[in-house]
Amino acid sequence: MSTKVVEILSSEELRRTLTRLASQIIERTRDLSQLVLLGIHTRGVPLANLLARQIETLEDISVSVGALDITFYRDDLDKIGLRTPAKTEIPFDLTGKTVVLVDDVIFKGRTIRAALNAVNEYGRPEVIRLAVLVDRGHRELPIHPDFVGKKLPTAKEEIVKVYLQDGDGRDAVELIGN
């Protein structure tokens, strides 16, 4: 059997999607000076940085960005296997902030549940929202993103792969299946 790869977002489409996500975040944030973007390792971190740059371009305001590793907060390590934790970098207190968790793909919701638990270690935000590049459905937990770049119905066995220039050498989103 051969693997079928379908491009879902090209580089240009990904750029436009990030601009739209940044605009939506701006519109829903009462006080941009209190906005913090937390990228979930691995691809959520560069996405958070891209969104922060876009918000700065649109609104001429600098947005704080942090990186969140959720490895030790997961409840499914037995299923996904051992992984080397990345470094959580949140050099600011989250208390009273508008925190937007940023991830590349939402699937079952377990990564976000773990991220919500991890955020509690760094303060008590005013509000926590979720921005994802791709929502592929199949949730196992009652978690719903506030900002979605692309809704993509998938089969459970399919894989959504996000490529980012910073790390992969190209920008694209692909659906991989048989």
Side-chain angles (χ1 to χ4, degrees):
M1 243 198 236
S2 66
T3 301
K4 183 178 175 184
V5 177
V6 177
E7 184 176 75
I8 302 303
L9 294 175
S10 67
S11 176
E12 182 60 26
E13 291 167 327
L14 189 108
R15 183 195 60 74
R16 283 195 303 269
T17 299
L18 289 171
T19 299
R20 185 170 34 81
L21 282 172
S23 295
Q24 290 173 0
I25 292 168
I26 290 165
E27 289 171 9
R28 294 255 330 258
T29 303
R30 208 169 10 116
D31 181 359
L32 289 175
S33 70
Q34 297 299 306
L35 177 63
V36 172
L37 301 180
L38 289 183
I40 300 171
H41 278 291
T42 301
R43 285 190 172 68
V45 175
L47 283 172
N49 284 308
L50 290 168
L51 285 169
R53 283 196 293 267
Q54 188 61 37
I55 291 169
E56 184 172 352
T57 299
L58 294 171
E59 293 295 313
D60 197 29
I61 186 167
S62 182
V63 177
S64 297
V65 179
L68 186 64
D69 179 76
I70 50 90
T71 301
F72 296 119
Y73 296 91
R74 293 194 70 102
D75 66 354
D76 59 353
L77 282 176
D78 59 326
K79 293 181 181 159
I80 63 171
L82 290 176
R83 50 178 64 183
T84 304
K87 184 174 181 176
T88 290
E89 296 178 34
I90 304 176
F92 37 79
D93 184 14
L94 299 180
T95 302
K97 302 290 186 186
T98 297
V99 173
V100 177
L101 295 171
V102 180
D103 205 5
D104 58 346
V105 178
I106 186 167
F107 184 29
K108 297 176 181 180
R110 298 201 173 276
T111 296
I112 305 309
R113 187 215 43 88
L116 290 169
N117 289 342
V119 163
N120 289 329
E121 304 285 327
Y122 297 93
R124 188 178 188 284
E126 174 81 18
V127 65
I128 301 173
R129 294 201 169 104
L130 174 59
V132 297
L133 186 60
V134 178
D135 180 350
R136 62 173 292 189
H138 302 289
R139 221 74 80 238
E140 293 177 354
L141 299 171
I143 292 174
H144 182 76
D146 299 278
F147 312 106
V148 178
K150 175 89 172 162
K151 285 189 180 224
L152 180 66
T154 64
K156 282 190 175 185
E157 64 276 0
E158 291 176 314
I159 297 168
V160 176
K161 182 75 175 147
V162 175
Y163 299 95
L164 297 172
Q165 190 68 41
D166 181 25
D168 300 310
R170 68 184 178 117
D171 289 330
V173 176
E174 294 177 345
L175 180 64
I176 303 168
N178 293 329

